[in-house]
Amino acid sequence: MNADRLPPVAPEVTATLVENLSPRLRKRLDAAVAKLGARTTRRDGDTVTIEVDDETELRLHAPGGVVATTDAITCGCLLAPACVHRAAAACAAPAADLAPELVDRPTGEVPDPASVTDLAAASATAPASVTDPASVTEGTSETDRTPVTAPASATDRTPVTDRAPTPALDSASSLEVASPDQRAAADALWSAGAAVLEAGVDGAGAVTQSALLRAAHTARLRQLPRASGAALSVVTLLRAARAGEPSYRTADLVTALAELLGTAHRVGTSSGAELAAVRGRARRPYSPDGSLRLYGLFTEPVVTDSGHGGVRTWVAGSDGRLFTVGDVAPGGVGRALGVADRAVRLGDSALTHRELGRAGLAVAGATVSPDGRLGAGKGVKAVTARGAAWTEPPLAALWETPPSEQAARALRSTSRYADPDGGGSDLLFLDVELLGAVRESGGSCLLARCAGGVPVRLTVADDHPALAHRDNVTLLAAAPGTRLRIIGRLVPAPHPRLTLLACSHPSGEGTIDLGFDRLRRADLPDPTAPVHPAPPRPGGSGAHSPLYLLERRVEQTVPAGRAALGMLGDVTAETRRIRRAGLPTAAGLLTALCASAARRDRDLFGRLLPADTDGFATHWLAAARYTAAVAESLCSAAWEPTQEGAR
């Protein structure tokens, strides 16, 4: 049974069912979840039925697509409703992210359907994140560091009550500090996240996950959607890791855990506008932006691991601002290929997405989200207008900014802990000379040189065989010496790296959407033309940085837990190597992290005391945030012009 076949279950439903189990049944819960995963399911309208055995059926009722109450999960076994099957089904299903309006709205008030839809779309994006690395890790100099203090112990935390009044999210910026209920909810999130680090993926079973879900639900009630979203992301990734899903990456869980712990920590220490950012928003805000004159840039296919597919068309305003018009829904790569030729959902325009990528629009009554998405409300009017070539104003100005400045701007939006409402784009606009294919550990990519003599690795945006990315990059690699104008998405790495999205046609006429349009050999220059000799070897200040010695210890904690890290023994050789590379803070963080993992105090009778999970989580969080900040700094430095290019 695939978890995607089950309807999403509200976090509080899963948490309640697990909490109501007896201690004996809780020990059997993980085995029950695995056993239930092998059973067949069938769907009948809003009801999904699981065949527990030949005589017993388990039903999940999901009116509206979400299992919202514990009574909506029923079982036909003799022990029901106190059986383990109901809790196992809830743990096997995806975690839903219900709108706070559905739980906090006064009786008799009907929620706006559009607001629920917007929230569902927002919850499907990347998890909430922490904005200020220095506030969690350290200051700007090696000698002036901002210490990280752990939250209050579990015994000192204020209980959370669901009946306590909650402040309105819109007034968050006017509050000086978080309310006691919000601090208590943040402490519960911290404790749940620290428990995951203590146990590791192997030990973070259904019971540990249910504690995270309960904390996430409470945080949502206390108007902390950012931290709540991070907790749900941790649960989703934990389940993917334990199920052995191919798309799972340990680095993603590291980021999600650091976001959860960092956000929970900052709720109690932030105030004013910073607190408003830490709280986050439950819905994607769209603000009026008047009249816009837009010029199409390109269209890219969007295919997600969750089975969604569609397109995103990028356009630029007359002032150089970037906007997107998207259409993504369940359907995978087949939908992405079909939607590209459907009309754009924006005003009265009859342009398809592919056509908009090369044409223009005049929009009146435009609404725009902080990340540049154009709204398609009833008040928006749009008509087709003339587009512009990439070499014509206003689009030509996008390629005039130095690559190093573009990379710095893109890093602010792609940072693991960027402010979700900070805006900005991760696209780079470069004029390059192709140098040919270069081999690397993951296969091969296309090497090019941009302004300043900076060597850039251009990789495939999506390897799906139905899309044209791979074939196009392979053909371009066979045409060294070709000069192109390209658009790519920054990949944070110690060397300049982009995923290639669009380029000018090698003939100099028109543009190529590399995910949809297919180049032919006849489109490429004469292969007998002279080529550039000896492609440079990408390097830079971070190409051989020993920062990975700290990064791998941070990542090892997630699958194995604190105890496994504590058994590593002496790390003096690693810290010495890190110090020789000029990273004394990294060496100190590695020493403190491993020492905290191995520390176990004893009482007067020599018995081991419980491990300091809060202290270890603090050291781990500092190390995770530090490695991310340094990696981003190395990435930014790699885009600086080379000495040869400067001459």
Side-chain angles (χ1 to χ4, degrees):
M1 178 188 68
N2 192 319
D4 293 338
R5 300 178 184 174
L6 298 179
V9 178
E12 66 273 20
V13 172
T14 303
T16 300
L17 291 174
V18 174
E19 291 164 358
N20 289 341
L21 292 177
S22 65
R24 178 180 64 86
L25 291 180
R26 287 190 189 185
K27 295 179 181 179
R28 297 170 50 190
L29 181 56
D30 288 329
V33 173
K35 185 176 180 180
L36 209 62
R39 302 299 182 184
T40 59
T41 64
R42 65 177 184 273
R43 181 181 293 272
D44 183 14
D46 292 334
T47 301
V48 175
T49 302
I50 306 173
E51 297 180 0
V52 178
D53 53 40
D54 294 339
E55 300 178 354
T56 306
E57 290 185 339
L58 182 67
R59 292 184 175 87
L60 291 83
H61 305 277
V66 175
V67 178
T69 65
T70 56
D71 294 339
I73 303 179
T74 59
C75 183
C77 73
L78 296 177
L79 296 178
C83 62
V84 73
H85 301 132
R86 298 171 67 221
C91 293
D97 190 4
L98 289 181
E101 291 91 338
L102 300 183
V103 289
D104 285 345
R105 189 175 296 276
T107 303
E109 186 175 352
V110 180
D112 179 8
S115 67
V116 178
T117 304
D118 289 345
L119 179 65
S123 65
T125 60
S129 56
V130 186
T131 58
D132 185 10
S135 68
V136 180
T137 56
E138 55 195 80
T140 57
S141 68
E142 292 288 343
T143 57
D144 184 15
R145 305 294 175 190
T146 303
V148 182
T149 57
S153 63
T155 56
D156 295 333
R157 293 185 178 115
T158 307
V160 178
T161 58
D162 289 348
R163 295 190 180 90
T166 58
L169 184 62
D170 293 338
S171 62
S173 59
S174 65
L175 298 178
E176 294 184 357
V177 294
S179 68
D181 286 335
Q182 288 179 329
R183 291 195 296 271
D187 286 347
L189 285 168
W190 174 279
S191 295
V196 173
L197 280 178
E198 175 70 19
V201 170
D202 293 339
V207 175
T208 302
Q209 294 168 26
S210 72
L212 268 171
L213 292 173
R214 173 61 70 192
H217 173 61
T218 303
R220 179 70 72 176
L221 292 176
R222 299 286 80 81
Q223 301 296 340
L224 298 174
R226 190 170 179 178
S228 176
L232 293 180
S233 295
V234 171
V235 172
T236 300
L237 289 167
L238 280 174
R239 291 175 175 177
R242 292 173 64 86
E245 294 183 7
S247 60
Y248 167 76
R249 295 173 61 251
T250 300
D252 293 338
L253 185 51
V254 168
T255 299
L257 270 171
E259 288 172 348
L260 170 61
L261 293 172
T263 306
H265 168 74
R266 294 182 64 202
V267 167
T269 60
S270 303
S271 61
E274 183 183 2
L275 177 61
V278 172
R279 284 173 175 163
R281 296 178 182 270
R283 291 187 289 174
R284 184 185 307 278
Y286 282 82
S287 57
D289 206 342
S291 298
L292 296 174
R293 179 66 168 89
L294 304 176
Y295 300 85
L297 281 166
F298 71 100
T299 300
E300 64 170 320
V302 178
V303 182
T304 69
D305 293 333
S306 61
H308 289 68
V311 296
R312 182 187 299 115
T313 299
W314 289 82
V315 296
S318 55
D319 57 357
R321 285 189 298 162
L322 298 181
F323 304 92
T324 60
V325 182
D327 186 350
V328 180
V333 69
R335 186 177 189 278
L337 294 172
V339 169
D341 293 317
R342 293 184 188 175
V344 174
R345 299 175 182 175
L346 194 65
D348 301 323
S349 171
L351 290 174
T352 67
H353 280 273
R354 298 286 304 283
E355 292 170 343
L356 175 58
R358 294 173 173 84
L361 278 179
V363 183
T367 58
V368 184
S369 71
D371 61 355
R373 298 192 187 188
L374 291 169
K378 295 180 180 179
V380 178
K381 307 297 181 183
V383 295
T384 304
R386 177 186 176 276
W390 288 2
T391 55
E392 299 175 353
L395 298 185
L398 297 171
W399 279 266
E400 295 174 359
T401 304
S404 58
E405 295 183 19
Q406 294 191 51
R409 179 206 65 212
L411 272 173
R412 289 193 291 270
S413 64
T414 60
S415 170
R416 303 180 199 177
Y417 310 106
D419 184 352
D421 291 338
S425 166
D426 57 358
L427 299 185
L428 269 69
F429 303 83
L430 305 177
D431 288 307
V432 301
E433 177 188 2
L434 303 184
L435 301 176
V438 60
R439 293 189 177 276
E440 53 186 14
S441 58
S444 63
C445 64
L446 174 59
L447 188 65
R449 179 187 285 108
C450 68
V454 178
V456 184
R457 296 196 179 197
L458 307 176
T459 62
V460 175
D462 195 312
D463 252 326
H464 197 287
L467 300 176
H469 289 294
R470 171 61 66 184
D471 292 340
N472 286 334
V473 172
T474 301
L475 275 177
L476 290 174
T482 303
R483 296 183 181 274
L484 295 175
R485 180 158 279 194
I486 67 169
I487 302 176
R489 176 167 288 114
L490 178 71
V491 178
H495 55 267
R497 192 178 189 89
L498 299 177
T499 55
L500 194 55
L501 301 173
C503 69
S504 59
H505 197 283
S507 66
E509 298 181 1
T511 60
I512 302 293
D513 293 339
L514 291 170
F516 294 113
D517 302 325
R518 292 189 178 272
L519 284 167
R520 299 171 299 174
R521 290 195 177 275
D523 296 325
L524 302 178
D526 184 0
T528 62
V531 300
H532 195 286
R537 295 174 59 86
S541 59
H544 306 289
S545 170
L547 183 66
Y548 76 92
L549 296 172
L550 177 59
E551 288 177 325
R552 71 178 182 180
R553 299 309 181 194
V554 170
E555 288 197 1
Q556 283 175 349
T557 306
V558 172
R562 177 198 57 80
L565 191 64
M567 294 188 292
L568 290 177
D570 188 18
V571 293
T572 303
E574 295 181 9
T575 57
R576 187 182 300 115
R577 181 179 173 187
I578 294 174
R579 289 183 187 278
R580 284 201 301 264
L583 297 171
T585 302
L589 287 170
L590 178 59
T591 300
L593 177 65
C594 293
S596 177
R599 184 180 300 119
R600 289 294 302 272
D601 297 329
R602 296 180 180 271
D603 62 14
L604 295 175
F605 299 99
R607 295 171 297 192
L608 283 174
L609 295 173
D612 181 10
T613 56
D614 281 351
F616 175 72
T618 301
H619 287 293
W620 182 89
L621 175 60
R625 292 298 305 273
Y626 173 87
T627 56
V630 173
E632 291 165 8
S633 178
L634 293 174
C635 176
S636 179
W639 282 91
E640 293 296 330
T642 64
Q643 293 181 355
E644 293 80 3
R647 292 198 295 266

